[in-house]
Amino acid sequence: MDTAHHMLLFGCKLPATNDNYWACGNRYGTCLDEAKIMYAWARNAPPTRLPAGVGFRVGGNSGINYIVLQVHYGDIHAFRGKNNSSHKYHFSHRENPLIAGIYLLMSENTVIPPGAKVVNGDIACPYEEAVIHPFAFRTHTHQLGQVVSGYRIRDGQWTQIGRQSPQLPQAFYPVEKPMDIKYGDTIAARCVFTGKGRTTVTQIGGTSQDEMCNLYIMYYMDAQYAKPYMFCTKDGSPKLFKHIPPEANIPIPV
Ligand code: IYT
Ligand code: CU
Ligand code: CU
């Protein structure tokens, strides 16, 4: 962790360049097409293991023909020409009975006024696909995020998928109780921000002075109904979020 601060793994149809490695951020992006996140590691976080029989679908007509590893270095002193930041992959030619996927909830409109004590970024979507089994989750905000929580809403009941401080290492953490999400449920997430210490308004954007509100849910599902990437960017209604469990606004000590 003294060298690599965090690593993100993406799947692409085509990478941003044909070079073996390149600097991310300025000139090139990650993929020529849409980058699909597959994994994240951060600062000494324990690894996420795919449950038995679960695999990400790659190659063939999966839409993922390249995998790109993005390493964000904290301090490059240690490697002096030798760089061991890496991941190991296990490839199989046999089709797994279960495929892994990522459901990404993200807010596009959260605005944090300067000095605001508490600002919630709420996102929710009806779930209208085949049943998924969440087993890991990752939260992502920049500096102003206090806590991010995700829920399944079924028959008015809110069940926690995951809750974490985005100020802790932004890795995938295990979903504590086994659960499923099925057609007719709603998936919801809240990011809690503070505008304290800011003298100007903060909006969603790419720089570290901007903010993001993301919850990534890693799931497995029957390969037969494979839907490996899903998104939700809809603002949650105040009427729905009136019923969010109070824990969603309790900060997590870091
Ligand atoms: C505006 C925003 O929230 N961007 C996030 C989520 C995001 C990820 C991917 C948006 C799109 C994507 O294709 I993959 I469009 C974001 O950029 N998050 C960063 C990484 O780029 C993954 C993060 O660390 O979660
Ligand atoms: Cu980068
Ligand atoms: Cu971000």
Side-chain angles (χ1 to χ4, degrees):
M1 73 165 266
D2 296 328
T3 304
H5 180 269
H6 67 275
M7 300 196 252
L8 298 169
L9 186 73
F10 299 94
C12 310
K13 207 174 263 164
L14 285 169
T17 105
N18 281 322
D19 298 339
N20 290 331
Y21 57 89
W22 65 94
C24 63
N26 37 13
R27 197 143 99 85
Y28 298 113
T30 310
C31 303
L32 270 191
D33 54 310
E34 206 179 274
K36 301 181 188 88
I37 190 166
M38 300 171 79
Y39 187 60
W41 173 91
R43 286 163 49 207
N44 288 358
T48 312
R49 297 214 161 268
L50 296 178
V54 178
F56 280 94
R57 195 174 263 178
V58 295
N61 60 7
S62 68
I64 297 181
N65 301 96
Y66 288 82
I67 49 180
V68 177
L69 177 63
Q70 187 178 100
V71 186
H72 284 244
Y73 290 101
D75 182 352
I76 58 164
H77 263 88
F79 65 70
R80 293 196 180 89
K82 230 205 209 148
N83 181 357
N84 297 318
S85 313
S86 62
H87 279 167
K88 273 186 186 155
Y89 311 105
H90 297 271
F91 288 100
S92 167
H93 285 288
R94 259 180 306 116
E95 168 100 90
N96 281 298
L98 301 168
I99 65 116
I102 304 266
Y103 190 109
L104 166 56
L105 295 104
M106 74 175 189
S107 166
E108 294 174 318
N109 314 315
T110 302
V111 175
I112 306 157
K117 223 166 125 190
V118 178
V119 174
N120 298 325
D122 291 342
I123 317 152
C125 288
Y127 185 75
E128 291 164 339
E129 303 292 341
V131 56
I132 55 173
H133 302 262
F135 63 89
F137 71 99
R138 171 179 180 262
T139 66
H140 174 70
T141 72
H142 301 174
Q143 291 140 7
L144 304 182
Q146 310 294 300
V147 53
V148 179
S149 317
Y151 297 91
R152 175 195 79 190
I153 310 166
R154 180 179 289 173
D155 304 325
Q157 276 263 105
W158 292 61
T159 304
Q160 192 192 99
I161 302 166
R163 175 171 166 266
Q164 187 56 289
S165 165
Q167 303 307 328
L168 290 171
Q170 292 181 4
F172 279 95
Y173 292 88
V175 171
E176 260 148 43
K177 287 198 208 106
M179 61 157 13
D180 62 14
I181 299 174
K182 65 178 192 204
Y183 193 105
D185 292 343
T186 294
I187 304 185
R190 166 170 285 179
C191 303
V192 178
F193 296 100
T194 177
K196 276 193 182 157
R198 289 286 166 97
T199 53
T200 55
V201 67
T202 307
Q203 285 176 293
I204 301 296
T207 78
S208 64
Q209 288 306 297
D210 300 320
E211 270 306 328
M212 290 188 186
C213 167
N214 300 159
L215 176 71
Y216 299 82
I217 300 168
M218 198 185 280
Y219 58 81
Y220 66 83
M221 76 191 299
D222 205 313
Q224 211 181 314
Y225 307 110
K227 237 201 147 206
Y229 288 91
M230 303 190 230
F231 300 89
C232 172
T233 57
K234 267 197 355 189
D235 292 349
S237 75
K239 195 167 155 249
L240 179 69
F241 277 80
K242 223 173 53 202
H243 304 288
I244 192 171
E247 62 183 22
N249 281 76
I250 299 174
I252 290 177
V254 295

